[in-house]
Amino acid sequence: MSTAAPRPAAQDRLWTVDEHLEDILATVRPLEPIELQLPDAQGCVLVEDVTVPVSLPPFDNSSMDGYAVRVADVAGASEDFPAALEVVGDVAAGQAAELLHVGPGQAARIMTGAPLPPGAETVVPVEWTDGGLGEGPVDGMRARSLAPEQATGHVRVYRPAEARAHVREKGSDVKAGDRALEAGTVLGPPQIALLAAIGRGTVRVRPRPRVVVLSTGSELVPPGEELRSGQIYDSNSFALTAAARDAGAIAYRVGAVADDADTLRSTIEDQLVRADLVVTTGGVSVGAYDVVKEALSHVGDEDEAGSGIEFRRLAMQPGKPQGFGSIGPDHTPLLALPGNPVSSYVSFELFARPAIRTLMGLQDVHRPTTRATLTTDKALTSPQGRRQFLRAAYAEGTVRPVGGAGSHLVAALAHADALIVVPEDVESVEPGAEVEVVLLG
């Protein structure tokens, strides 16, 4: 799950964003691989290449409802001079093709997906025939033509067909021995479909990480309840639970915990049984009621060797106060994020998301970045010595700020799909300047 590492004193220095992230990623380890049934493997990461055991499709088969024929027998066929062929039987999907043989002047009625019978070289769509009814071209396999007594007889073909027309060739999708999927692939619906198609019922993967998210604060009320004086709705736990799922995790949201250190620590310890990562939000600053610091600053005591949570000041805005470490007998990693909604979400994107992707076993754990032209009415200001992350909207090589700089502005966050990154040594960015952008969507 994770391994504990010796930690330098954190309280007496200002950490950079990169130092904090490097410490997290050096501590968090990918989860151990397990064998899962296909329905349970969705969203997981393959740990080994998957080789195709049998070609797909495994035999030549028809892509149309029609008639399997020899090319020479329908050459020159037209509506005025149709080719009249003897129907020797039906070939349905799932039926062995060897039961029939198509010889000169013969045809076999064939359904979509059915194997091409020996002797046949091509498939004529039923719409190019009279369907064996003798009444001119038809628009499909009709009920009468599908009756058992109509499996033999004669069919008139009104158009010629080239060799292998409307035939899906054996191995045209993938061939036996090909590599179907590479290690490191995230299994989505198309990948699950391919695994099933080549006969794989189980697959070896790293499981999706289980992430427990909880907010702290006596002022927090669940959405749907009535607000009283001094209370606000708990949005952070919902936002971060959704963000954890978006990152690929199985996420569990815990109701907001009041500002009581013993209750918080007990709640977290109760959640460790279902956690590969714990994310808290709020209570990490320097206030009198910063309960996360009070509850977790001393968890690395003698009964839990190697564990401990460090609280740090980072050279960033928003999100200066941060906490990171491990807790419990399995040294479960814990990220303590600030409580202001924007600070919390930005911190999750920068630190918790990469941790989740690392637990999954992915190589590329970061959001994509790009360069874009800043479109704004006036210069952006940024505190000297801090790396600033501004909510923004990105479109076609340009980016514009969304909302103000306040870390409580949730509405602006809802309209942002990117973060503008202003480096530590830059205090002003003029309109039209090229800036670094983190793409969130």
Side-chain angles (χ1 to χ4, degrees), residues 105-414:
Q106 295 180 332
R109 197 168 55 162
I110 192 168
M111 310 307 159
T112 302
L116 193 69
E121 300 168 330
T122 189
V123 172
V124 175
V126 67
E127 294 86 356
W128 298 3
T129 78
D130 68 353
L133 304 177
E135 300 174 357
V138 297
D139 56 9
M141 288 288 192
R142 297 182 179 178
R144 181 180 169 190
S145 68
L146 287 174
E149 61 269 18
Q150 296 296 322
T152 58
H154 289 82
V155 64
R156 289 181 174 85
V157 179
Y158 300 109
R159 292 176 58 178
E162 298 179 355
R164 313 298 289 177
H166 312 114
V167 175
R168 303 168 179 147
E169 295 192 9
K170 175 182 178 179
S172 57
D173 193 350
V174 289
K175 293 180 173 60
D178 286 351
R179 182 169 56 187
L181 296 171
E182 296 182 357
T185 300
V186 179
L187 299 181
Q191 292 75 33
I192 297 291
L194 175 56
L195 290 167
I198 63 175
R200 288 291 294 264
T202 65
V203 67
R204 191 164 176 77
V205 297
R206 296 191 192 278
R208 294 169 61 195
R210 301 164 302 163
V211 177
V212 170
V213 176
L214 60 88
S215 295
T216 64
S218 298
E219 77 280 11
L220 299 178
V221 176
E225 294 189 7
E226 182 180 354
L227 287 180
R228 297 179 179 177
S229 178
Q231 294 181 328
I232 60 173
Y233 287 122
D234 171 21
S235 64
N236 282 356
S237 67
F238 288 89
L240 300 192
T241 300
R245 290 172 180 159
D246 181 71
I250 299 170
Y252 304 103
R253 191 191 70 85
V254 180
V257 180
D259 291 322
D260 179 81
D262 291 337
T263 300
L264 175 61
R265 183 168 179 178
S266 175
T267 300
I268 292 175
E269 289 173 347
D270 288 344
Q271 293 295 321
L272 293 180
V273 68
R274 63 172 181 173
D276 298 306
L277 173 69
V278 177
V279 178
T280 68
T281 172
V284 296
S285 191
V286 293
Y289 296 98
D290 286 322
V291 65
V292 175
K293 287 185 70 173
E294 181 183 352
L296 302 181
S297 289
H298 306 292
V299 298
D301 51 22
E302 64 275 3
D303 62 336
E304 301 293 355
S307 65
I309 309 298
E310 245 181 24
F311 292 90
R312 305 165 174 173
R313 296 178 302 120
L314 269 60
M316 64 179 287
Q317 187 185 59
K320 180 180 178 181
Q322 300 282 338
F324 170 63
S326 64
I327 186 171
D330 293 324
H331 305 301
T332 304
L334 183 146
L335 286 165
L337 309 182
N340 280 320
V342 177
S343 301
S344 176
Y345 183 73
V346 169
S347 298
F348 185 97
E349 286 290 338
L350 296 179
F351 307 123
R353 182 183 174 91
I356 291 171
R357 308 287 280 180
T358 299
L359 287 167
M360 294 175 67
L362 292 169
Q363 295 299 312
D364 186 4
V365 300
H366 303 288
R367 288 283 198 183
T369 61
T370 188
R371 305 289 296 182
T373 301
L374 178 65
T375 58
T376 182
D377 295 333
K378 59 182 180 179
L380 301 179
T381 59
S382 184
Q384 203 279 332
R386 302 279 184 88
R387 187 180 303 181
Q388 189 175 41
F389 297 90
L390 297 170
R391 290 144 294 169
Y394 172 83
E396 300 179 352
T398 64
V399 66
R400 61 178 178 83
V402 174
S407 58
H408 64 291
L409 303 175
V410 183
L413 184 61

Side-chain angles (χ1 to χ4, degrees), residues 88-107:
V88 294
D90 277 1
V91 188
Q95 179 180 329
E98 293 78 9
L99 298 178
L100 285 178
H101 184 280
V102 177
Q106 295 180 332

